[in-house]
Amino acid sequence: MTPVPARSTAAATLLLNATYEPLCVVSSRRAIVLVLADKAVSVHSAPEEVHAETVVLPVPVVVRLTRYVRVPYPAQVPLSRRAVFHRDASTCVYCGSSATSIDHVVPRSRGGTHTWDNVVAACRRCNHTKADRSLAELGWKLPHPPRTPSGAAWRLLGARTVDPRWREWLGM
């Protein structure tokens, strides 16, 4: 039996429903168990292999369930700093430079909420200049109103860094 590098089983695997809809991210170890139990099939594998006494299995990067699972998702995508940067392409919505912080369009000190339609990515200079003032006071305008992202892939994007090998199945 050949030893397996520790990093191969600690990696993450994208779990797809039977309809190829992204469900969640599981550990590679969990994905291997699903494949061995015939509950999932490997759609894309890494070059590394897992060796057991009688089985050699490539480490799965993306697996698809063999049966459809109906999962009731929350109506809204979770709001996180990483997801806001991804939605706004890490670009300041006010000046177009590289974003380093998030800004509340209607400042929280003035009753603004911490929701998708009030949070945008901003550079440090614009965030500091705006401070707790409204856009009208500064004469600034947003190129487009911030919106809540939709789609199954956004549930994953807000929580973690996306493996480039998952992009095909996430519609990116």
Side-chain angles (χ1 to χ4, degrees), residues 57-73:
L57 186 71
V59 176
V61 174
V62 179
V63 294
R64 180 182 60 86
L65 294 175
T66 55
R67 299 181 69 177
Y68 179 77
V69 176
R70 186 172 173 267
V71 180
Y73 286 115

Side-chain angles (χ1 to χ4, degrees), residues 91-166:
T91 304
C92 176
V93 296
Y94 303 121
C95 70
S97 65
S98 180
T100 56
S101 63
I102 61 171
D103 180 56
H104 292 87
V105 178
V106 177
R108 295 188 78 178
S109 63
R110 295 191 177 187
T113 58
H114 187 66
T115 56
W116 279 106
D117 59 348
N118 192 44
V119 176
V120 294
C123 68
R124 181 171 297 183
R125 186 175 60 84
C126 290
N127 200 350
H128 182 73
T129 301
K130 183 177 170 290
D132 68 340
R133 292 178 279 191
S134 70
L135 296 178
E137 290 173 348
L138 294 169
W140 291 3
K141 291 185 179 177
L142 288 174
H144 52 80
R147 60 175 180 76
T148 303
S150 61
W154 277 98
R155 289 181 200 72
L156 303 174
L157 295 174
R160 64 174 47 250
T161 304
V162 176
D163 187 321
R165 299 172 291 187
W166 300 346

